[in-house]
Amino acid sequence: MSLIGKALLAVAASTVLGANGAAAHADGGPFVTAQDGEQNLDCGNSQELVTVNVARSVRREQTCSEPESRDADASAVGGVVAGTQFTTAQSGKQNLNCGNSADVVTVNVLSTVEENTTCRVVDSSQDLPGRADGRHARGAHAPGAGGASAVGGTALGPQSTTAQSGKQNLNCGNSADVFTLSALSTVSRSTTCEAVDLSSGRAGPGAHGQGRATAVNGIAAGPQSTTAQNGKQNLHCGSDSDLVVLTVPEPDEPAVAGLGKSADCRAVDRSTTW
């Protein structure tokens, strides 16, 4: 399945899981996503087992925008997979987990590859008291115990485990690939995440606050990234934990420059709360 197809499938699955105001929960599989709350995007992520491009041009472009609003909890638990595993739980307001890569084997020879992912959420809503958030009064930090919790499984490859709860948490453009070879090729990856909060609201039992996020490692034969973000405007952006990257530049290149990665994260908060 293509990168875009998998991203759309993940978003669709998360929408079903969070329907009718119920908490979202997802178990098992290589691409596990549970999202609940307001404007949570998990999009454009890549977890290919083997990708080979020889003398070809590849262009992938993914644009995600989320204007809707919902509130509840989210929990995701990884399973056992023969490859890469993404486990993501997002609860709260404007949580972006976007454009991350955890491919196992990528080979580019005499090719041009361009991947662009754009995630953008803008909240201009008016929040009123009485709405749920990620801070339900429960003591346990376990899956399904309130807020966002993600538990990694077992993967024969890279593993990315992310839990985000609260307001404007960005985890964007990170790479945990195992083996990448680019010979006489031009590879460009660009990820842009933007969260803008222009909302106005009243503080009360239902106001969005710090929230709760818990992420637990699994077992992975490859790079592993585990991220938990709580609160407001936390950025974890553009980090690399690649295992092996080999590049052979084109003859007219003065240096190794055939593999380019760009990640841009931006969180803007002009909200008013009273």
Side-chain angles (χ1 to χ4, degrees):
M1 185 180 294
S2 70
L3 167 66
I4 294 177
K6 287 190 294 186
L8 292 177
L9 178 61
V11 172
S14 66
T15 300
V16 172
L17 288 165
N20 299 322
H25 180 79
D27 282 311
F31 205 112
V32 183
T33 302
Q35 298 182 134
D36 250 318
E38 286 193 0
Q39 297 179 312
N40 297 307
L41 302 185
D42 181 35
C43 86
N45 300 315
S46 175
Q47 53 133 33
E48 306 291 349
L49 195 61
V50 178
T51 301
V52 178
N53 298 308
V54 179
R56 59 182 299 218
S57 295
V58 178
R59 178 179 175 85
R60 295 171 177 166
E61 188 162 348
Q62 175 79 38
T63 301
C64 295
S65 179
E66 179 59 68
E68 301 297 329
S69 296
R70 289 182 297 118
D71 292 283
D73 300 328
S75 61
V77 180
V80 179
V81 298
T84 306
Q85 186 173 74
F86 268 75
T87 306
T88 303
Q90 298 186 138
S91 181
K93 193 171 188 180
Q94 292 181 310
N95 296 305
L96 308 185
N97 187 48
C98 172
N100 300 311
S101 176
D103 302 334
V104 178
V105 177
T106 302
V107 178
N108 299 303
V109 179
L110 296 171
S111 297
T112 299
V113 180
E114 183 179 355
E115 299 179 359
N116 295 313
T117 303
T118 302
C119 285
R120 185 170 187 263
V121 296
V122 178
D123 181 17
S124 301
S125 65
Q126 292 186 353
D127 294 328
L128 299 176
R131 298 174 65 184
D133 65 354
R135 299 182 303 163
H136 299 298
R138 305 174 187 171
H141 285 202
S149 59
V151 179
T154 301
L156 296 177
Q159 185 176 79
S160 179
T161 305
T162 303
Q164 298 185 135
S165 183
K167 192 172 185 180
Q168 290 182 308
N169 298 305
L170 309 184
N171 186 46
C172 176
N174 302 309
S175 178
D177 303 336
V178 173
F179 179 84
T180 301
L181 170 64
S182 291
L184 305 176
S185 298
T186 299
V187 180
S188 175
R189 292 177 178 173
S190 176
T191 302
T192 301
C193 285
E194 183 180 22
V196 180
D197 184 10
L198 307 174
S199 65
S200 60
R202 301 173 183 174
H208 285 278
Q210 183 174 355
R212 177 188 298 141
T214 305
V216 180
N217 276 334
I219 300 173
Q224 189 172 62
S225 176
T226 305
T227 304
Q229 296 189 132
N230 257 349
K232 193 170 183 179
Q233 291 184 312
N234 298 304
L235 308 183
H236 182 236
C237 178
S239 303
D240 279 342
S241 58
D242 301 339
L243 201 58
V244 178
V245 178
L246 300 176
T247 60
V248 179
E250 296 182 12
D252 58 345
E253 291 179 346
V256 177
L259 183 63
K261 297 179 182 179
S262 174
D264 183 12
C265 286
R266 183 170 180 258
V268 177
D269 182 13
R270 296 192 182 97
S271 63
T272 59
T273 303
W274 69 88

